[in-house]
Each structure stands twice: as C-alpha cells, then as structure tokens.
Amino acid sequence: MLSFIIRRMAVAIPTLLVLVVASFYLMQFAPGGPFTSERPLPQQVLDNIEAKYGLDQPTWKQLLDYVGGIVTQFDFGPSYKYKDRTVNDIIAQGFPVTLTYGTISFVLAILVGGALGIAAAIRQNSWLDYFAVGITIGAQVLPNFVMAPILILVFSLWLGWLPGGGWNGGQWDHVIMPVIALSTSYMASIARLTRSSMLEVLRSNFIRTARAKGLPDRTIIWRHALKPTLLPVVSYLGPAFVGMVTGSFIIDTIFSTGGVGYFYVNAAFNRDYAVMMGLTILLGSMTILFNMVVDILYAWIDPKIRL
Amino acid sequence: MSLANLNPQQPKTAEMAEHMAEVKGRSLWADARVRFVRNKAAMVSLVVLILVFLFAFFGHLLTPYDNETIDWNVLGNVAKVGQPSFENRHYFGFDDSGRDLYSRVVQGTQISLMVGIVGAMIAVIVGTIYGAVAGFVGGRIDNAMMRFVDIAMSIPYMFVLILLLVVFGRSIGMLFVGIGLTAWLDMSRIVRGQTLSIKNKEFIEAAVATGVRTPTIIRRHIVPNLLGVVVVYATLLVPQMILTESFISFLGLGVQEPLTSWGALISQGTSTMNYGTLWQLFFPLAFFVVTIFAFFFIGDGLRDALDPKDR
C-alpha cells in the first residue's frame, strides 16, 4: 500500500510541476505585456512598474519567486488589471461561493445518483428501473450549459418560484438552481454506473452463495453487494470533480453567483494573466490532489489495483 | 477405442465438412451490420443524424437569406416582429442582431459538426498510432510513453485549453489544436490495452510461427482487430468534442463572430430569453440535444454490434 502511495505521488508531483511551469511560460508567450496600453507610458515609468512587480528579473527567477510565494505564504501575487486587488483577494471573495455550491452538488450527485442506481438494480425491469434508466439517458445529454437556461426559463421566467441569478450570501433559493444545473449530468452518470455495477455484482457467485445460505435480501445488499458495487463509482469521482470545477465557469456565468469561475472567465476576457495563472494553479492542483486521493482510496478498497 | 469404431465416423466427418463449405462464412463486419440494423434506437439515430448532416450541407438552399445580412426593420424590435414564420420564410425567426436565425443555425451546425469530427479524427489518428506503438514495442519505451500519458491526463485540460485560447488568440484553429492536444490520450490508452491483448493471442503466435513478417502481422491481424474498438470509441468521441467546443463557445472563448456554433447560439439565446425571444434558445438547443443523443445511441449500438464478448 505504501509503495502504491509513493508511486501515485511520483505521478502527481511531476504533474503539478508541469502545470505550474507550463502555465507560467505560456504567459510569457502572451502578446503584449500586462502594462501595454493605448497611450504608451514613458520608458522610466514602465521600468519602475516592472521593477515593482519583479518583471525586470530573468524569467526563471520570476518563476522561482512566484512558486516560492505560493508555497511559503500562499501568496498568488497582484492582479495586473485591478491595481488595488491581489489574486488572493479574488480567491477569498470567490472561493467560498464555489466551494459551497460545488460541495453540495458533489455530495448530492453521489447520494442521489448512487441511491437511484442501487434502487434501479434491485428492482430490475420494474417501472422504477425504467424511470431511472430513462432519466439517466436523458440527463447525459443535458450538460450544465443546457440545464441552466432551461431551469431559469421554467422556474424563474414561467413559474417565478426562484430568483434567476445572484448569490445573496448563499440563501437557499439562490443555491438550488446552480446545484441542480451543476450536478444533474454527473448524478445521471453515477446512477448509470451504480446500476450496471450492482447488476453485475448481484449475478456473481458469492451473492448466489449468500442467497443459498438463506440470508435476507437486505443483508445481502448492504453487507455483501454494496462495497464491490461502489468500486467503479469511486473511480468516477475524479472526473466528476474535474467536471464540476470547470462547470463552475458556466454556473457563475449564467447565474451570476460570483464564484471563482466568474473571475476566471472575466480574467480570460481581460487578459489578466496573473489572475488566470493563480486560479489555474489553485484549482488545477486541487484537482490533481483530489485525483490522487481518489486513486489511493480506490487502491485501499480494491487490493488488485495496488499491483 | 478401436479403429473399427472410428472408421464409420470418417465419411460422416467428410460429409459434414462438405456441408460446412456450402454455408457461406460471414465476416466480423457483416455480422456486426446485422446486429446494428436490428438495434432500433441506433437505426433511428442514424436516420436523424443523416438528416442533421443534410441540414448542415444543404440547409442554406432552402432559404433566400444569408447568415450575415441584418434586417434593419427588425433590429431592436426582435421580440415583436422577429418570430419564426413560414410566410416571410424566416423559419426560425431572427436572432438578436436582426439576422436570419435559420441560416445562423445552418452555419452553427456546420461548424459544430466539423469541430466534432475533425477533433475526433485527430484523436483517433494520434491516439491509435501512439497506443499501437507503445503496446507493440513494449518494455521500457512503453513504460515511458504511458507515464507521459498519465501525467498529461491528470492535468485539468479545460484550464489548459482556455489558457491556450487566451494566449494565442481565440480562433477555430487554436480550438482544434487545444482539443486535439488532449483528446487522443484516452484513445491511446484503449488502443494500447487492446494491442497488448491481441499481441499475445494464439493466432498471432501462429502467424509468427509460420514465418509471417511483422509488418504483415500488424496490417493483417492487429489493425483489423483494433478497428472495432477504434470505431466505437471514435463515435463516442464526436459528441464529447462537440460538448467541449460548445462549452468553450458558450463562455464566449471559442468560435468568434461572424462564425458561430451551437454553443455560441445557445449562449446568445440564453442571454436574450428575458425579452421573450425564446426561439433563439429553442432551435440551437434542439439541434444540439438531438445530435448528441443520436451520436450516443449510434456509439452504443456499434459497441453492442462489434463487441465480441456478446456472442
């Protein structure tokens, strides 16, 4: 197990480095410096600004300073666009929002998707099963940028039940639609995975043995079938997490929730490279670490993987 | 068992062999076709998809309007006079800038389908070659190649894609590069796995034993056996590419005006739905959902048809 963890880290650490170095050097390719404006600044002023942000240093030194700042002080540097704000301010403002609806969506997708999948598998070919399969097939082609407009159309414009956007400090009626829009397609995938996995497990020999012993259905499902059923679901958690992080771009754009996705897309339009790089590194390393944890969890549940 | 007992069997076996020869052998592909045709969802999807393609290629012939001319009588008053109507031949109505939405959807369909198919093709070609080489060569090279794929796969690609689009400018060409850069990774893994399992099969061993040269083995035995998996995965890859493109274009970072795509059209429809111009959302959304559905069902149908495990 320990050797598996070490081997898995041997992938995660280079990945992190590649992410940081690649996004840093990509920024160096960007046309125009951050302080290029329509009215050219006097050379002296430009020199002063560059010295203030450390841009007069050689590139490798800038990279080292930047990474050093993140690692030692969790300091992502200043925003190039908004002179009075640092990237840290932006993270502090947007991250709690994204974290709130992201966590709710993630947990909801797992719980509801898992429950639906298990229920459908236990009562295979019943109306519940057909209902679940129908929903999962339909929801698969409803990504967040399709779900969100439809939700707003139905619940805000037609029915007027929920506000069409805004965050309002995370009041429940502002959270519902972002959560549904973000989690639906992942819920569907998890339900489909759980169902097919459960059906396969229920047909296996050790379950037949348990049946032959005369164990009640409930014991068979909870004690014996559940753990092997959840294996493929665990391996799907990584992609689902990545999908939800990037999905927050859409959610923040459509619902104006003001999470990090909003700042990321905004920075992309404003060419605010400092904000883009900071958020890329923060969210990117979160996903890389999350994937690592999921893989280790997977190996812990299923010893076959450790080999 | 004595020889006497065996002898009467011999003519029978010979007879059977003759009969066998009369039955015409069905190839893997003929077999798969029969199974695919029996799959109703896949067949219906195929028809739908052909219609969508026809729409993309020939849809512009049905309308007197192009996708760029702005009708100044409609601009600013789209919600009142811009509805879909067959009388003035604006079948899908107007978009928010007073352009004919039907021609815009035709254009968007062309571009979305093109991104999907070209993106999938890049992925298939690069992924198949990479995976087949890694699987066939094996050993240390395989190890290094696959470790590289591992690392590339765990980088969240949407960030990289957006970074690329921002740094090198938002264009369709960059979109292809960005999507193609990451889409082949899965493919290479699948192809490598498949190559490994085929490499150790008895019929390859037999071919090696009878002295068939390696290039011939790859061409005659490895590639045909890879083809099923590749075809299935490529069909499932197309909707994924379309989804990615639409995602990026929805954010406004992908396809730029005057070009458009389903994602961009859906985004425009979303931003104007408060004004009651719902057709601007409905038509691109319908085309998007129907096409993605069709691709998924065809992919599923092909998988069922080509999966040898099913037999």
Side-chain angles (χ1 to χ4, degrees):
Chain A
M1 188 70 206
L2 189 69
S3 83
F4 177 84
I5 294 176
I6 292 170
R7 256 186 299 150
R8 190 59 190 76
M9 280 173 137
V11 175
I13 291 168
T15 313
L16 269 176
L17 282 178
V18 168
L19 180 73
V20 172
V21 174
S23 52
F24 189 86
Y25 275 94
L26 214 52
M27 294 304 163
Q28 306 291 322
F29 275 113
F35 306 111
T36 330
S37 54
E38 306 208 335
R39 201 161 50 95
L41 293 166
Q43 190 57 41
Q44 249 175 332
V45 178
L46 215 56
D47 284 346
N48 274 336
I49 297 179
E50 294 208 329
K52 183 192 165 200
Y53 289 113
L55 294 175
D56 51 345
Q57 310 276 347
T59 321
W60 62 267
K61 182 122 194 327
Q62 285 181 41
L63 174 61
L64 281 185
D65 286 346
Y66 184 72
V67 175
I70 295 173
V71 173
T72 53
Q73 296 155 13
F74 200 74
D75 176 14
F76 286 92
S79 157
Y80 291 154
K81 197 80 192 175
Y82 307 103
K83 302 282 185 298
D84 53 338
R85 278 167 127 187
T86 63
V87 180
N88 282 30
D89 292 339
I90 287 170
I91 291 172
Q93 194 188 335
F95 197 68
V97 175
T98 311
L99 196 68
T100 308
Y101 69 70
T103 314
I104 299 175
S105 306
F106 197 65
V107 173
L108 201 71
I110 296 170
L111 290 183
V112 177
L116 199 62
I118 291 174
I122 293 174
R123 312 216 182 295
Q124 199 193 355
N125 298 329
S126 69
W127 65 268
L128 181 74
D129 186 29
Y130 294 135
F131 174 74
V133 169
I135 283 189
T136 52
I137 291 176
Q140 253 190 317
V141 295
L142 295 178
N144 37 39
F145 60 88
V146 172
M147 254 332 255
I150 294 176
L151 285 174
I152 294 182
L153 189 66
V154 174
F155 293 105
S156 298
L157 291 183
W158 287 349
L159 298 173
W161 289 352
L162 294 167
W167 184 243
N168 205 7
Q171 245 180 344
W172 65 270
D173 54 343
H174 287 80
V175 182
I176 291 180
M177 286 203 293
V179 164
I180 295 176
L182 190 56
S183 59
T184 301
S185 64
Y186 301 99
M187 201 184 284
S189 297
I190 289 174
R192 202 170 42 99
L193 266 175
T194 318
R195 177 178 174 275
S196 60
S197 162
M198 186 67 148
L199 284 178
E200 209 175 306
V201 170
L202 286 180
R203 266 187 236 120
S204 58
N205 288 332
F206 73 96
I207 295 293
R208 196 178 306 140
T209 312
R211 284 244 163 81
K213 278 202 306 188
L215 287 181
D217 271 357
R218 192 179 300 162
T219 319
I220 292 176
I221 285 156
W222 291 113
R223 178 98 46 87
H224 297 285
L226 195 63
K227 199 174 152 188
T229 296
L230 291 181
L231 268 179
V233 182
V234 169
S235 71
Y236 180 70
L237 294 184
F241 184 84
V242 175
M244 286 198 181
V245 169
T246 47
S248 74
F249 299 170
I250 296 280
I251 299 300
D252 287 333
T253 305
I254 299 186
F255 293 106
S256 325
T257 31
V260 281
Y262 165 78
F263 293 105
Y264 194 80
V265 174
N266 228 16
F269 279 114
N270 290 333
R271 298 180 165 273
D272 192 343
Y273 297 126
V275 172
M276 284 196 79
M277 195 160 66
L279 288 178
T280 301
I281 290 173
L282 178 74
L283 298 175
S285 36
M286 270 177 57
T287 50
I288 290 167
L289 289 178
F290 185 85
N291 272 321
M292 192 180 85
V293 171
V294 166
D295 278 3
I296 291 173
L297 191 72
Y298 194 76
W300 180 62
I301 302 176
D302 183 10
K304 262 188 288 179
I305 304 296
R306 282 177 228 164
L307 298 174
Chain B
M1 207 186 276
S2 71
L3 271 174
N5 275 353
L6 244 174
N7 269 340
Q9 301 272 348
Q10 267 179 343
K12 252 191 185 170
T13 322
E15 234 172 73
M16 269 165 67
E18 255 169 48
H19 268 284
M20 296 262 280
E22 276 165 29
V23 178
K24 208 176 164 226
R26 278 183 305 176
S27 75
L28 176 105
W29 294 96
D31 230 20
R33 199 172 59 225
V34 170
R35 254 172 298 168
F36 186 78
V37 170
R38 274 198 211 123
N39 187 334
K40 276 194 198 108
M43 284 312 281
V44 171
S45 299
L46 192 62
V47 172
V48 169
L49 201 61
I50 290 172
L51 290 178
V52 172
F53 269 88
L54 288 178
F55 175 80
F57 284 119
F58 303 111
H60 62 276
L61 299 176
L62 295 177
T63 174
Y65 306 105
D66 66 19
N67 51 13
E68 280 172 356
T69 315
I70 293 169
D71 190 333
W72 299 98
N73 299 321
V74 177
L75 188 61
N77 203 11
V78 176
K80 288 233 178 68
V81 295
Q83 286 109 330
S85 124
F86 273 97
E87 277 148 40
N88 60 14
R89 302 192 66 182
H90 287 288
Y91 314 117
F92 294 179
F94 289 87
D95 79 349
D96 205 41
S97 323
R99 290 171 293 191
D100 180 42
L101 189 63
Y102 175 86
S103 335
R104 298 276 291 161
V105 174
V106 171
Q107 189 193 16
T109 307
Q110 283 171 1
I111 290 183
S112 284
L113 287 178
M114 185 181 75
V115 170
I117 289 168
V118 174
M121 255 159 57
I122 298 176
V124 165
I125 294 169
V126 177
T128 308
I129 294 173
Y130 194 93
V133 168
F136 210 75
V137 174
R140 207 171 277 168
I141 294 174
D142 173 36
N143 214 342
M145 282 171 90
M146 281 300 134
R147 198 43 50 86
F148 174 75
V149 170
D150 283 347
I151 290 177
M153 268 184 106
S154 38
I155 294 177
Y157 72 97
M158 196 58 87
F159 289 98
V160 179
L161 184 52
I162 292 178
L163 278 178
L164 282 173
L165 285 167
V166 169
V167 170
F168 296 108
R170 306 195 283 262
S171 68
I172 265 206
M174 205 57 230
L175 201 61
F176 277 132
V177 173
I179 290 177
L181 212 59
T182 49
W184 62 275
L185 295 167
D186 263 324
M187 192 79 205
S188 72
R189 269 193 181 172
I190 291 169
V191 168
R192 174 183 169 269
Q194 195 73 4
T195 309
L196 278 181
S197 76
I198 294 170
K199 199 170 90 173
N200 296 324
K201 288 263 167 68
E202 287 88 348
F203 67 93
I204 299 289
E205 230 170 277
V208 172
T210 48
V212 184
R213 286 176 310 129
T214 317
T216 319
I217 292 180
I218 295 177
R219 193 165 40 93
R220 287 223 42 171
H221 300 298
I222 303 264
V223 170
N225 281 298
L226 280 178
L227 224 51
V229 179
V230 171
V231 166
V232 170
Y233 192 71
T235 337
L236 292 172
L237 208 56
V238 175
Q240 272 176 38
M241 299 291 103
I242 294 177
L243 275 169
T244 308
E245 184 276 327
S246 299
F247 184 98
I248 292 285
S249 291
F250 186 94
L251 291 174
L253 295 167
V255 174
Q256 299 293 307
E257 291 281 347
L259 299 177
T260 193
S261 75
W262 285 333
L265 288 168
I266 293 172
S267 166
Q268 278 162 15
T270 307
S271 65
T272 59
M273 67 184 172
N274 280 330
Y275 313 130
T277 54
L278 286 180
W279 62 88
Q280 293 176 3
L281 177 64
F282 173 76
F283 287 108
L285 202 63
F287 270 91
F288 174 84
V289 170
V290 165
T291 309
I292 300 281
F293 246 127
F295 269 114
F296 273 130
F297 277 127
I298 291 173
D300 268 2
L302 280 175
R303 182 167 46 204
D304 292 344
L306 289 169
D307 195 349
K309 267 185 287 180
D310 227 28
R311 250 166 264 174

